[in-house]
Amino acid sequence: MTSFEVGDFVWAKMTGYPYWPAKVVEPDKDVKKPSKKVEMYFIRFYGTGDFAWTKADLIHKYDENKEKYSLGSKRSGFLDAVKSIEHAVERREKGLPDTSDEEEEESEPESEGSDDQPLAKKAKSEQGSSMETAATPPAKKRRKVAKKSLPTREELTLKHQNMAHYLLTRSQLLPTDPNQFISAVVSTDSTPTTEQRNLTTDSRLSPDTTADADSTTNIVPKDIIPTDKSIGFLGLGIMGVPMALNLVKAGHEVTVWNRSQARCTPLVEAGAKQGTSPADVVQHCDIIFSCVSDANAVRDLVIGNTGVLQGISAGKGYIEMSTVDSDTIKEISEAITMRGGRFLEAPVSGNKKSAEQGKLVILAAGDRSLYMDAYSCFEALGKKTFFLGELGSGGNTKLIVNMLMGSFMASLAEGLSLAEKAGVDQYTLLDVLNLSDIACPLVKTKGAAILEGHFPASFPLKHQQKDMRLSLQMGEELEQPLHVAGAANELYKRTKAIGFGDRDMSCVYRAVNA
């Protein structure tokens, strides 16, 4: 059997994929080698930037097998990978280093906490960024943005409570003649018909209905009147950056903060202010949003040094959008309200793309007055907002949604892997699924990611596994068996253990198809 050394150019194959241009590299220290009793090498695949432990019998010398494998696929990703390795081979022949790692790193968008960078590359970039911080030139002055004439709180509330006006500005299903609509819905001189009652009640567009679970729907393009209250946003990760940017674009006065100050730059350039600490943001803002990775980050943000509690005071509102357990939510809520503040949980359902497009689903619960005051912010962030009543309802709903999504994702990965072993064309199977009763965006996007072998972190796998764990914890506390979710969680744990926690949740296919 041929042996290989670090730096060798090769053709390597993972189950379900053609032989792909690659290079033998050193694994990161925190990447565990599989316990299989066969010789394996750690491989970096050109074009995708993916890494994987690969059996020696699935690796072949690049030059000796170029003619055999270079026509393995006509897909653009494969052809780009061939070009990349050819460029690297040419540079080595000239005595120059292989720069493909750096080129791929520059071409990929950055994201805090998780991204599509391979683990070795990510550690390298983080080390470099710490050295560059000291030499960073002074930030550019924020361009002045002309302030719009903002309505008062009373005017904003009146607008939302006026059902006729709200429907006229939101619904595409109403009569084109406003007078006809007003006379049909608002008139108190006549008893409304059944059809008119359905229009005003079933559409449930008012954010001020007294039901415990009400919702509002935005119809694009959005016509948002921003609140006159100043907004703070803490945490600028994969979801936080696009969410805060949408608040700025909608005309809100926004101040942002993040542990890594560089993440604030695009927001400042868009018109936001930058705070020096969580406490500083809270002191200067009326309503503060938080969106961080887990319960530890939430607690540190609130009760840590220069944290939220040091700036909170009577009347200020704090909205927690992170997905955490109910105990953490209750703990933070008590800390905020004891200082006179108002608290609302509002976890979101959606991914990076949904956040960029302002199409998240927002699951709010807690202080209703804060929900009303922040309503224009929810309009900017989401396509639908639910007020679910008592504190804890929002987080529990989000965990159940993510538990179902994670279980289905694991099943999709198993189905595609089974198809490959049964000799069924995976692309054909995906086409069938997209035309069947289970067709949905997850099947379309995640299925394509699996077949292309590229896993950009739209929703990091480590966050999905965290939500699965919290769902199972909730099930145990309520004595509800969750057998399917428990089995799916083990797959996510296994995928995370072999080094794919920072990749997209669809990377669970790597554990299923190993």
Side-chain angles (χ1 to χ4, degrees):
M1 184 180 295
T2 307
S3 60
F4 301 93
E5 297 180 355
V6 172
D8 284 352
F9 295 117
V10 297
W11 294 95
K13 175 178 173 59
M14 290 188 296
T15 306
Y17 300 98
Y19 275 96
W20 201 275
K23 184 168 73 172
V24 181
V25 297
E26 286 281 1
D28 284 352
K29 294 180 180 179
D30 57 348
V31 176
K32 298 179 182 179
K33 185 175 182 179
S35 58
K36 297 180 180 179
K37 296 181 180 180
V38 294
E39 188 174 8
M40 303 185 78
Y41 294 90
F42 199 61
I43 301 296
R44 183 179 75 82
F45 293 88
Y46 281 89
T48 68
D50 284 333
F51 291 82
W53 284 103
T54 306
K55 296 178 183 178
D57 59 356
L58 295 177
I59 306 173
H60 303 287
K61 293 286 187 180
Y62 178 75
D63 287 335
E64 298 174 6
N65 296 274
K66 187 188 303 184
E67 293 185 4
K68 182 177 180 180
Y69 296 125
S70 60
L71 300 178
S73 174
K74 294 183 180 180
R75 293 185 174 276
S76 59
F78 178 83
L79 297 178
D80 290 341
V82 173
K83 291 180 182 178
S84 296
I85 194 171
E86 285 292 329
H87 178 67
V89 170
E90 183 180 346
R91 288 183 63 84
R92 179 173 292 183
E93 291 174 349
K94 295 179 180 179
L96 300 174
D98 181 6
T99 60
S100 58
D101 287 356
E102 289 77 6
E103 289 170 357
E104 289 177 11
E105 184 173 359
E106 291 174 0
S107 66
E108 295 173 353
E110 297 181 1
S111 59
E112 183 181 19
S114 58
D115 51 31
D116 194 39
Q117 294 181 346
L119 297 177
K121 209 188 300 181
K122 180 179 177 183
K124 181 177 177 181
S125 65
E126 289 177 349
Q127 181 180 5
S129 63
S130 62
M131 298 174 62
E132 294 172 2
T133 303
T136 302
K140 296 180 180 179
K141 293 183 178 180
R142 179 170 63 89
R143 68 173 185 268
K144 294 183 179 179
V145 179
K147 286 192 174 182
K148 298 180 180 179
S149 177
L150 300 175
T152 64
R153 175 182 176 183
E154 290 75 17
E155 291 173 338
L156 184 63
T157 303
L158 180 61
K159 174 186 183 297
H160 286 161
Q161 290 177 335
N162 186 334
M163 175 66 81
H165 176 77
Y166 195 80
L167 289 173
L168 280 170
T169 56
R170 292 291 182 274
S171 179
Q172 296 177 340
L173 303 176
L174 301 178
T176 56
D177 182 3
N179 293 325
Q180 179 186 351
F181 170 77
I182 294 174
S183 63
V185 177
V186 182
S187 175
T188 59
D189 295 329
S190 60
T191 302
T193 64
T194 302
E195 183 179 357
Q196 290 168 351
R197 289 195 198 96
N198 291 340
L199 180 61
T200 58
T201 58
D202 292 351
S203 56
R204 301 173 75 193
L205 290 174
S206 171
D208 200 35
T209 176
T210 56
D212 284 341
D214 65 89
S215 63
T216 57
T217 303
N218 289 323
I219 297 176
V220 179
K222 299 179 180 180
D223 176 23
I224 300 170
I225 299 180
T227 177
D228 58 353
K229 296 184 179 299
S230 54
I231 306 299
F233 203 101
L234 308 175
L236 300 175
I238 287 180
M239 301 290 283
V241 168
M243 290 166 70
L245 192 58
N246 281 337
L247 292 176
V248 175
K249 290 179 178 178
H252 296 90
E253 181 184 337
V254 181
T255 302
V256 298
W257 177 87
N258 192 69
R259 282 177 297 178
S260 173
Q261 296 185 8
R263 302 287 295 172
C264 299
T265 301
L267 278 303
V268 173
E269 292 177 349
K273 301 175 184 177
Q274 182 174 347
T276 58
S277 68
D280 177 59
V281 173
V282 175
Q283 288 170 356
H284 290 88
C285 296
D286 302 311
I287 299 174
I288 300 89
F289 288 84
S290 164
C291 185
V292 291
S293 58
D294 54 31
N296 291 331
V298 169
R299 290 191 181 94
D300 185 58
L301 197 64
V302 176
I303 63 179
N305 187 33
T306 67
V308 170
L309 284 186
Q310 297 185 25
I312 205 75
S313 59
K316 290 184 180 290
Y318 190 74
I319 301 177
E320 184 56 73
M321 307 195 83
S322 312
T323 303
V324 294
D325 59 282
S326 57
D327 289 340
T328 300
I329 287 295
K330 291 175 182 177
E331 177 186 343
I332 298 304
S333 173
E334 290 176 1
I336 296 293
T337 54
M338 285 180 65
R339 298 291 184 95
R342 298 176 293 163
F343 184 84
L344 187 75
E345 65 168 338
V348 298
S349 179
N351 54 27
K352 180 182 177 182
K353 184 176 180 180
S354 303
E356 291 172 343
Q357 296 177 342
K359 293 184 178 180
L360 297 168
V361 176
I362 300 166
L363 308 170
D367 191 305
R368 191 175 183 83
S369 67
L370 178 54
Y371 170 75
M372 289 300 300
D373 286 346
Y375 185 73
S376 66
C377 298
F378 296 141
E379 284 187 300
L381 299 175
K383 62 181 179 181
K384 195 172 187 70
T385 302
F386 291 88
F387 183 79
L388 301 172
E390 294 183 1
L391 200 64
S393 300
N396 288 343
T397 302
K398 170 66 185 297
L399 288 176
I400 293 171
V401 169
N402 278 18
M403 179 193 74
L404 294 171
M405 179 174 69
S407 299
F408 182 59
M409 181 68 251
S411 294
L412 176 62
E414 288 184 334
L416 289 171
S417 180
L418 180 62
E420 188 264 329
K421 288 179 172 60
V424 176
D425 184 80
Q426 292 174 307
Y427 289 93
T428 300
L429 175 61
L430 190 59
D431 287 340
V432 172
L433 293 176
N434 284 321
L435 293 172
S436 70
D437 288 343
I438 63 172
C440 63
L442 186 142
V443 171
K444 184 176 181 180
T445 59
K446 304 304 184 185
I450 288 173
L451 298 188
E452 293 294 337
H454 193 47
F455 304 95
S458 177
F459 185 50
L461 184 139
K462 63 182 181 183
H463 293 170
Q464 177 62 58
Q465 194 275 318
K466 179 257 298 183
D467 291 347
M468 297 294 288
R469 173 176 56 81
L470 293 177
S471 300
L472 292 170
Q473 179 181 316
M474 177 171 38
E476 184 175 354
E477 292 172 355
L478 299 175
E479 300 182 355
Q480 169 61 53
L482 299 171
H483 303 298
V484 175
N489 183 49
E490 293 303 314
L491 287 175
Y492 286 105
K493 287 167 61 178
R494 180 182 174 190
T495 312
K496 183 180 173 182
I498 60 177
F500 295 108
D502 286 333
R503 296 302 178 87
D504 188 72
M505 62 178 290
S506 54
C507 211
V508 69
Y509 180 78
R510 291 289 174 82
V512 171
N513 196 249

